[in-house]
């Protein structure tokens, strides 16, 4: 039986129901993702609002108006993002006015603000930008300090004492972010009585989803199965804990949940924040230990090095690497003995070890990583099928040693999936092996 747990009732009774509408024909194609809805969702979750629907509409005034009307009829809060620009296809203002049965007017203050912004940049404002000063009758203007299109907040009475609120936000992500912080979050906080929902994330590497489930399952009875989510991705597992209540209650509960989940998951946990990546964690450990790293890569084609250099300041610890795709370059650039390749083949434990040790020696780093494998789709054999990868990490036994014996760890594994998945898995395992070496943690099987 599930243990009793504290839970504050949200002030909304029932909880406020919300819908998000993203406007833009480009979002209906294959090359543009609707990330704005995700950002709005995070804000709603934090304040305990129940998101019931998400939709995308193209640049059709009639279709957007119909979508807004339907959303207002079924929800207490409707948030629209996009379509507030100056061009002819930016039709959200007109669509919202039509949905509400209201008119539009030019706001002189907004118009003057837009003109001033252009002047400050030494530009003449095109007449078309006057469209961004059109405000739905009865709307509150939400000043946009990061752009020219203001947001709008509109109260809508549905009759019988029921009402809804409509927010119109620009589609530029940095502008949306600013309006959420200045206007949406305070508005939601004032209506939630300080009660909301919050999540915390633990990132896990080196374990399959089923193994993570097995380890953390005792926490289900303690905190509720619905409050713990396991999310699998190509290279790691995310454990997400959710808590409701006042700020103090949420923080205390999340602290207890993350502490318990971390204890159950063990040393496979490599990060406690969504924004932390394996490469940033490893980089931080290298910097703290005063150690340097080089890489020798074959099947990953420089992906380990590319990931390391995504992190600002990585030049503090990452010296560089060699993409030794051919056997000839393995010999010439990093000193892999030709006889090792002849005897064992390029995809083998001895060659992976020699790559890690050779690049470390050739480029003068404390640690070296070597990766060789068969990423596919071709090139596999019965002995070495597609997905077979050998990874080696050479260097001091722990990150804290100032010298002494050099030790090389090796892992052989066969990864599932296509070429990209094999490469991604390989780069993640290489960095996870180094993380464990720097922390002095044995590698889990």
């Amino acid at each position: 039986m599930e243990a009793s747990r504290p839970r504050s009732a949200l002030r909304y009774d029932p909880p406020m129901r919300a819908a998000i509408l993203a406007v833009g024909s480009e979002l209906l194609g294959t090359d543009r993702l609707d990330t704005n809805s995700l950002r709005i969702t995070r804000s709603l979750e934090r304040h305990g609002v129940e998101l019931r629907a998400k939709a995308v509409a193209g640049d059709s005034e009639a279709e957007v108006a119909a979508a807004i009307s339907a959303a207002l009829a079924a929800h207490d809060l409707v948030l629209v993002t996009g379509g507030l620009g100056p061009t002819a296809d930016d039709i959200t203002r007109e669509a919202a006015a039509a949905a509400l049965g209201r008119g539009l007017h030019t706001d002189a203050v907004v118009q003057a603000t837009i003109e001033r912004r252009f002047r400050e940049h030494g530009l003449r404002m095109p007449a078309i930008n006057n469209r961004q000063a059109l405000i739905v009758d009865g709307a509150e203007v939400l000043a946009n300090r990061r752009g020219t299109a203001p947001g709008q907040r509109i109260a809508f009475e549905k009759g019988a004492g029921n009402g809804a609120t409509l927010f119109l936000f620009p589609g530029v992500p940095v502008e949306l972010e600013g309006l959420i912080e200045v206007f949406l979050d305070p508005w939601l906080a004032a209506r939630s009585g300080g009660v909301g929902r919050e999540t915390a994330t633990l990132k896990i590497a080196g374990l399959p989803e089923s193994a993570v489930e097995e380890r953390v399952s005792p926490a289900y009875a303690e905190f509720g199965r619905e409050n713990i989510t396991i999310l699998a991705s190509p290279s790691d597992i995310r454990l997400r804990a959710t808590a409701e209540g006042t700020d103090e209650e949420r923080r205390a509960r999340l602290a207890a949940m993350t502490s318990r989940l971390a204890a159950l998951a063990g040393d496979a946990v490599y990060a406690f924040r969504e924004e932390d990546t394996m490469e940033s964690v490893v980089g931080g450990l290298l910097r703290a230990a005063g150690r340097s790293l080089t890489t020798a890569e074959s099947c990953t084609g420089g992906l380990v090095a590319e990931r390391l250099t995504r992190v600002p300041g990585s030049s503090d610890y990452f010296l560089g690497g060699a993409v030794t795709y051919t056997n000839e370059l393995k010999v010439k650039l990093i000193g892999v003995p030709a006889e090792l390749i002849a005897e064992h083949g390029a995809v083998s434990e001895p060659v992976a070890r020699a790559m890690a040790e050779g690049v470390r020696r050739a480029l003068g780093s404390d640690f070296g990583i070597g990766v060789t494998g068969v990423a596919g789709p071709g090139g596999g054999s019965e002995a070495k099928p597609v997905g077979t990868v050998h990874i080696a990490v050479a260097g001091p036994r722990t990150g804290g040693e100032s010298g002494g014996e050099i030790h090389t760890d090796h892992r052989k594994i066969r990864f599932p999936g296509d070429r990209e998945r094999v490469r991604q898995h390989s780069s993640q395992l290489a960095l996870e092996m180094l993380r464990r070496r720097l922390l002095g943690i044995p590698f889990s099987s």
Side-chain angles (χ1 to χ4, degrees), residues 132-219:
Q132 294 182 296
L134 289 174
I135 304 299
V136 177
D137 291 346
E140 178 182 349
V141 175
L142 310 179
N144 181 359
R145 296 181 178 87
R146 301 179 181 181
T148 53
Q152 303 184 38
R153 180 172 62 224
I154 309 156
F156 176 66
E157 293 298 327
K158 295 194 283 189
N162 296 318
T165 300
L166 174 65
F167 277 86
L168 306 182
F169 292 125
V172 180
V174 67
E175 297 179 23
L176 170 70
E177 182 76 30
L179 291 177
I180 288 175
E181 292 176 0
V182 176
F183 296 105
L184 180 60
D185 279 338
W187 187 87
L188 292 172
R191 284 152 182 78
S192 68
V195 175
R197 184 180 299 111
E198 194 171 346
T199 62
T201 299
L202 287 73
K203 292 187 175 182
I204 296 173
L207 291 177
E209 185 177 10
S210 56
V212 174
E213 166 88 11
E214 188 175 58
R215 289 192 181 192
V216 305
S217 58

Side-chain angles (χ1 to χ4, degrees), residues 358-373:
V359 75
R360 175 188 175 276
R361 185 170 52 249
L363 301 185
S365 61
D366 296 304
F367 288 94
I369 288 176
V371 185
T372 180

Side-chain angles (χ1 to χ4, degrees), residues 18-29 32-41 44 51 53-61 63-68 71 77-84 89-93 95 166-173 176:
I20 298 173
L21 175 64
V23 176
S25 295
E26 69 277 8
L27 300 176
L28 297 172
R32 188 69 64 86
L33 294 176
D34 170 28
T35 58
N36 284 349
S37 291
L38 300 179
R39 176 59 186 88
I40 294 172
T41 300
L44 298 178
L51 180 61
K54 287 183 181 180
V56 175
D59 299 318
S60 163
E61 182 179 330
E63 292 179 5
V64 173
I68 292 175
L77 176 63
V78 177
L79 307 107
V80 182
T81 174
L84 297 182
D89 59 352
D90 292 310
I91 44 74
T92 296
R93 289 173 292 259
L166 174 65
F167 277 86
L168 306 182
F169 292 125
V172 180
L176 170 70

Side-chain angles (χ1 to χ4, degrees), residues 198-376:
E198 194 171 346
T199 62
T201 299
L202 287 73
K203 292 187 175 182
I204 296 173
L207 291 177
E209 185 177 10
S210 56
V212 174
E213 166 88 11
E214 188 175 58
R215 289 192 181 192
V216 305
S217 58
Y220 297 160
E222 300 169 32
F223 300 102
R225 176 65 186 87
E226 71 279 7
N227 296 317
I228 300 171
T229 305
I230 300 176
L231 303 170
S233 70
S235 56
D236 61 14
I237 303 291
R238 284 167 169 78
L239 265 180
R240 188 161 293 165
T242 302
E244 292 181 354
T246 64
D247 286 347
E248 184 178 348
E249 290 170 338
R250 287 199 310 271
R251 288 167 187 159
R253 186 163 174 78
L254 281 177
M257 293 175 76
T258 54
S259 176
R260 178 61 169 147
L261 290 171
L264 292 169
D267 53 33
V269 177
Y270 73 87
F272 290 86
R273 300 188 306 170
E274 186 64 47
E275 59 266 33
D276 289 336
T277 61
M278 179 64 80
E279 50 266 29
S280 68
V281 170
V282 168
L285 292 172
L286 285 166
R287 182 183 285 111
R291 294 298 193 174
S292 59
L293 171 68
T294 54
T295 56
E297 303 180 61
S298 182
C299 66
T300 45
L303 181 57
V304 177
E306 191 276 328
R307 289 182 60 179
L308 287 163
T309 54
R310 290 177 195 174
V311 182
S314 53
S315 58
D316 290 349
Y317 47 82
F318 183 62
L319 305 185
V323 179
T324 54
Y325 214 60
T326 66
N327 292 343
E328 182 181 13
L329 287 186
K330 288 180 177 67
V331 175
K332 286 185 176 181
L333 289 184
I334 56 175
V336 175
E339 56 270 24
L340 274 184
I341 298 176
E343 180 179 355
H344 301 282
V347 180
S348 63
E349 177 179 346
V351 170
R353 289 178 176 273
M355 289 172 68
E357 294 162 3
V359 75
R360 175 188 175 276
R361 185 170 52 249
L363 301 185
S365 61
D366 296 304
F367 288 94
I369 288 176
V371 185
T372 180
V374 185

